[in-house]
């Protein structure tokens, strides 16, 4: 017979929910799957005898990590048959998330795509160590490896990620300036304005999930990208709005066509301008834009 849900267990879980959601989301790149992981983890947690748990926070993180790893491996199989590029689900985040530079960077679309190139265990170790600062022995229990192995995995993952980071960080003020310029160019159809803020080798990925029109492969080059963007959102006979929104710890644009949410655009920036443009159009991935989401590292 299942143990009744205890108030202390529920209160502790709720107090750490933002942390747990962020761990799951960073591992999965999917808020929907992260929520499912939290539900599964809570059902496991409320059946634990708390008197036997020495470090409750570590125990909870371990549950969430293991369930995230199981789901991450299943997601890998699902992505193999995905139509076109797969992009993370964009999240509407609180403005103060951007103040935590490391957290904001870790949940950005660009970083989540870098983490997609890691093996599941490497991704878990990287998230727990680099983002949340867990000790190696804690991580070892979560991923069921030895501390020595975890140190090696962490070094390998850190090197892998460092080689793929943007070529130079931009300030929040620079980020806002580029976003404003991009929005203005988009709204006025200023092709040259788009070219001025894009790196020559800018890459665009769009995710329609086979439901909405989208690129089936990356598009490279400022001229091609600028023409695609300007022609796509300036088709005659449509009423468009372009709204700046805080997305994934940074700045993004919410595009509505005829009053309906059409897409969310996020950017990868460095000192050369926009080097990555990410457009999510899959309606199944846009449900998290209507509400502010619980991203955080607070314990």
């Amino acid at each position: 017979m299942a143990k009744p849900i205890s108030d202390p267990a529920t209160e502790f879980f709720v107090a750490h929910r933002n942390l747990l959601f962020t761990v799951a989301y960073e591992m999965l790149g999917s808020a929907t799957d992260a929520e499912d992981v939290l539900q599964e983890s809570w059902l496991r947690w409320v059946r634990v005898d708390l008197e036997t748990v020495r470090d409750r926070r570590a125990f909870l993180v371990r549950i969430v990590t293991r369930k995230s790893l199981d789901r991450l491996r299943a997601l890998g199989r699902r992505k193999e048959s995905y139509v076109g590029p797969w992009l993370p689900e964009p999240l509407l985040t609180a403005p103060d998330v951007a103040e935590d530079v490391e957290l904001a960077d870790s949940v950005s679309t660009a970083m989540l795509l870098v983490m997609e190139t890691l093996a599941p265990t490497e991704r878990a170790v990287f998230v727990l160590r680099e983002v949340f600062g867990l000790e190696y022995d804690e991580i070892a229990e979560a991923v069921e490896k030895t501390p020595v192995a975890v140190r090696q995995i962490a070094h390998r993952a850190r090197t892998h990620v460092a080689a793929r980071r943007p070529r130079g960080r931009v300030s929040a003020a620079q980020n806002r300036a580029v976003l404003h310029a991009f929005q203005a160019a988009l709204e006025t159809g200023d092709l040259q304005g788009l070219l001025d803020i894009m790196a020559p080798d800018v890459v665009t990925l769009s995710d329609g999930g086979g439901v909405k029109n989208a690129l089936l492969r990356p598009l490279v080059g400022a001229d091609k990208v600028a023409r695609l963007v300007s022609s796509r959102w300036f088709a005659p006979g449509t009423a468009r709005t372009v709204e700046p929104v805080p997305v994934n710890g940074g700045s993004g644009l919410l595009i509505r066509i005829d009053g309906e949410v059409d897409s969310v655009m996020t950017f990868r920036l460095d000192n050369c301008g926009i080097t990555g443009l990410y457009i999510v159009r899959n309606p199944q991935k846009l449900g998290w834009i209507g509400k502010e989401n619980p991203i955080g590292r607070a314990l």
Side-chain angles (χ1 to χ4, degrees), residues 82-85 206-216 232-233 255-264 279-286:
Y82 197 79
V83 179
S206 63
D207 180 341
V211 180
K212 288 287 191 77
N213 290 334
L215 299 168
L216 295 180
R232 170 63 187 86
W233 276 285
I255 313 295
R256 287 188 174 90
I257 294 182
D258 295 330
E260 298 294 327
V261 172
D262 176 82
S263 52
V264 171
I279 308 168
V280 176
R281 301 198 68 219
N282 184 348
Q284 297 174 355
K285 292 187 175 183
L286 296 175

Side-chain angles (χ1 to χ4, degrees), residues 187-287:
E187 291 177 326
T188 60
D190 182 3
L191 183 63
Q192 187 59 50
L194 291 171
L195 290 170
D196 289 344
I197 56 176
M198 289 183 179
D201 58 350
V202 60
V203 178
T204 292
L205 300 174
S206 63
D207 180 341
V211 180
K212 288 287 191 77
N213 290 334
L215 299 168
L216 295 180
R217 57 187 62 85
L219 185 66
V220 182
D223 186 67
K224 291 180 181 178
V225 171
R227 292 183 185 281
L228 170 77
V229 172
S230 60
S231 64
R232 170 63 187 86
W233 276 285
F234 287 90
T238 57
R240 302 162 302 279
T241 60
V242 184
E243 176 189 354
V245 287
V247 180
N248 286 68
S251 301
L253 293 175
L254 173 61
I255 313 295
R256 287 188 174 90
I257 294 182
D258 295 330
E260 298 294 327
V261 172
D262 176 82
S263 52
V264 171
M265 305 174 69
T266 52
F267 309 87
R268 171 177 168 146
L269 303 176
D270 67 16
N271 294 329
C272 296
I274 298 173
T275 58
L277 173 61
Y278 311 112
I279 308 168
V280 176
R281 301 198 68 219
N282 184 348
Q284 297 174 355
K285 292 187 175 183
L286 296 175

Side-chain angles (χ1 to χ4, degrees), residues 39-82:
Q39 180 65 21
E40 294 168 6
S41 300
W42 182 76
L43 292 173
R44 167 78 176 87
W45 169 248
V46 295
R47 287 165 175 76
V48 171
D49 181 357
L50 298 185
E51 297 301 320
T52 67
V53 179
R54 178 178 55 83
D55 186 335
R56 296 179 181 181
R57 169 186 158 279
F59 194 91
L60 258 179
V61 170
R62 185 159 71 242
I63 293 174
V64 169
T65 299
R66 289 180 180 175
K67 291 194 175 295
S68 294
L69 279 170
D70 290 341
R71 189 159 293 239
L72 186 59
R73 294 179 179 114
L75 279 175
R77 293 189 292 272
R78 201 189 310 169
K79 290 171 189 173
E80 291 174 1
S81 59
Y82 197 79

Side-chain angles (χ1 to χ4, degrees), residues 94-114:
D96 62 357
V97 171
E99 297 173 8
D100 185 337
V101 176
E102 289 185 356
L103 176 63
D105 179 61
S106 71
V107 297
S108 69
T109 303
M111 179 55 70
L112 291 173
L113 285 173
V114 170

Side-chain angles (χ1 to χ4, degrees), residues 22-30 72 79 86 88 102-132 157-158 160-162 164-165 248 268:
T22 307
V23 169
Y25 177 71
E26 292 203 14
M27 285 186 60
L28 300 168
S30 165
L72 186 59
K79 290 171 189 173
W86 181 95
E102 289 185 356
L103 176 63
D105 179 61
S106 71
V107 297
S108 69
T109 303
M111 179 55 70
L112 291 173
L113 285 173
V114 170
M115 288 196 282
E116 280 291 308
T117 64
L118 295 170
T121 301
E122 289 178 332
R123 186 166 181 170
V125 169
F126 181 84
V127 168
L128 296 178
R129 179 63 184 174
E130 300 301 316
V131 182
F132 296 96
R158 191 162 47 244
H160 181 93
V161 170
R164 291 160 178 80
R165 282 185 183 274
N248 286 68
R268 171 177 168 146

